[in-house]
Amino acid sequence: MTKSILITGGARSGKSTFAEGVTLSLARPALYIATAEARDAEMTDRIARHQARRGADWTTLAEPLALSQVLKETDGGPPRLVDCLTLWLSNLMLAGHDLEAAVAGLTDLLPRLASPVVMVTNEVGWGIVPDNALARAFRDAAGIANQRVAEACDELWLCVAGQPLRIKP
Amino acid sequence: MTKSILITGGARSGKSTFAEGVTLSLARPALYIATAEARDAEMTDRIARHQARRGADWTTLAEPLALSQVLKETDGGPPRLVDCLTLWLSNLMLAGHDLEAAVAGLTDLLPRLASPVVMVTNEVGWGIVPDNALARAFRDAAGIANQRVAEACDELWLCVAGQPLRIKP
Amino acid sequence: MTKSILITGGARSGKSTFAEGVTLSLARPALYIATAEARDAEMTDRIARHQARRGADWTTLAEPLALSQVLKETDGGPPRLVDCLTLWLSNLMLAGHDLEAAVAGLTDLLPRLASPVVMVTNEVGWGIVPDNALARAFRDAAGIANQRVAEACDELWLCVAGQPLRIKP
């Protein structure tokens, strides 16, 4: 059985909508694990719009940092949707955590989980090299994390203009 | 019969050249609907280079804002190439129009047209989140517009280094 | 026999690792042609990490500018991996060379080579249009170069989160 699915794409490429459909096709209801923190008005607005779209098929749980722990604690229950890994990495970086260790913890855990996990991530490295050193470090970390998680997952999908393209297997 | 085709990709990925070939494969001559306005030297130069490449198979018509109206007025005639939706959105935003309403007008119209429409658009959301709030708002609007138009189209193609990849259907 | 292969993708998408595997699958040992110059600490660190990963199957040669000349001089020997064309273009631009002529020299040469060439390049045009005119000129040049080289190559691959997707043929 397919257990772990990674869905990537650019901003506003329909990743979350596709991921929600994939997760609910596995079982209803499902568990939505939000990594976003409502730190400003723009983010609060985006979170509210995402929640409004999801409706009654979902239980929502917010966890900005301890993602692997939440996946362990909720294993054996309904399928999980993690939205999204890029914000999780950003939260880890801002909190001074070791990103490589956190990603390794996640990729070690994925093949040992019993309930399915669908994860949304972002493509952030297809533009001109940023001037800003922190932005360069983040796009490197995000790219490497995407490679590691895709390697550990059973499926990888790329969303382009809302249309999913299967990349792996 | 295939009626509406969306062609996307990054900057300088060969979208326009591919779109021109697709349009002319439907019928010759064809109608080129340019959404660009020659507001500065860089843009004037780019428009001139695009026109020089097209040659005698094309009638050209420029419309920065009222795209749906032009598509209605020219329906029943030769196939249309719209190049490009991203500039159209940018023009609408600068002119203070309601982008969602304009995109909904286009997507409502597409399935009701008799003559084919090939549209070029751009991927703009695969880099680091821009510092600039207006740039963030634009990439959100462009991404959402691409989703809506791709959903309404019969075909979606992605150009990578000049090579087209069929995404839908 | 396949002679020239272009591998593209965003930053940290696994292009180099995939390209190394493709090159060594053709013959061992192989020749690694680095276009990078260690101009600062960040670049020195990146080069050192890439070299450490490659190991004993490779002979390394550094050439920031005269890529076509090196490909001619090393032809008839083991397969070559060029990593990467984007840095080569950046070096040419900084040195005031004619980029179009340099790319045309490469694309003219590729079909006449006897030993295989695998080339890594970067997607840099999938973000918001840069404010900076030099960045815009570079992303245009890089996009056009990718089109020209992909056209001249037997194969084009796109790496997404470390997973290769065949685009051509």
Side-chain angles (χ1 to χ4, degrees), chain A residues 84-103:
Chain A
C84 72
L85 294 184
T86 315
L87 275 169
W88 174 59
L89 286 175
S90 172
N91 295 336
L92 289 169
M93 190 179 259
L94 286 169
H97 287 236
D98 178 339
L99 300 195
E100 277 197 50
V103 171

Side-chain angles (χ1 to χ4, degrees), chain B residues 78-94:
Chain B
R80 282 80 51 96
L81 169 53
V82 178
D83 195 351
C84 69
L85 295 184
T86 314
L87 275 168
W88 174 60
L89 287 175
S90 172
N91 296 336
L92 289 169
M93 190 178 259
L94 286 169

Side-chain angles (χ1 to χ4, degrees), chain C:
Chain C
M1 196 190 95
T2 293
K3 275 197 201 142
S4 52
I5 300 170
L6 183 63
I7 295 165
T8 193
R12 303 306 193 149
S13 62
K15 305 178 301 289
S16 294
T17 305
F18 176 63
E20 290 162 19
V22 167
T23 310
L24 292 179
S25 75
L26 299 170
R28 286 172 192 259
L31 178 61
Y32 183 91
I33 302 174
T35 59
E37 291 183 290
R39 282 191 307 263
D40 58 34
E42 191 176 336
M43 194 56 87
T44 304
D45 179 52
R46 185 168 288 209
I47 292 171
R49 269 182 286 127
H50 278 232
Q51 286 187 332
R53 196 185 53 217
R54 285 196 301 274
D57 280 324
W58 297 88
T59 308
T60 298
L61 197 154
E63 177 48 59
L65 296 168
L67 176 59
S68 291
Q69 191 184 317
V70 166
L71 290 174
K72 268 182 247 176
E73 288 170 2
T74 61
D75 201 34
R80 281 80 52 96
L81 168 54
V82 178
D83 194 352
C84 71
L85 295 185
T86 314
L87 274 169
W88 174 61
L89 287 174
S90 172
N91 296 335
L92 289 170
M93 189 177 261
L94 286 169
H97 287 236
D98 178 339
L99 300 196
E100 276 197 50
V103 170
L106 175 62
T107 55
D108 286 351
L109 179 64
L110 285 173
R112 298 186 286 119
L113 292 172
S115 307
V117 182
V118 178
M119 289 166 287
V120 173
T121 192
N122 283 263
E123 294 302 315
V124 300
W126 303 54
I128 284 287
V129 179
D131 290 332
N132 184 310
L134 185 64
R136 283 200 301 279
F138 182 71
R139 78 170 197 158
D140 280 359
I144 291 169
N146 282 352
Q147 287 186 49
R148 301 276 183 276
V149 178
E151 178 66 32
C153 278
D154 303 294
E155 294 180 16
L156 171 67
W157 296 79
L158 176 69
C159 285
V160 177
Q163 305 293 316
L165 177 71
R166 190 165 186 155
I167 307 282
K168 175 190 173 184

Side-chain angles (χ1 to χ4, degrees), chain A residues 10-12 14 42 46 124-126 161, chain B residues 125-128 136 140 143 147 150:
Chain A
R12 302 306 193 149
E42 192 176 334
R46 184 168 289 208
V124 299
W126 303 55
Chain B
W126 303 54
I128 283 286
R136 283 201 301 279
D140 281 359
Q147 287 185 49

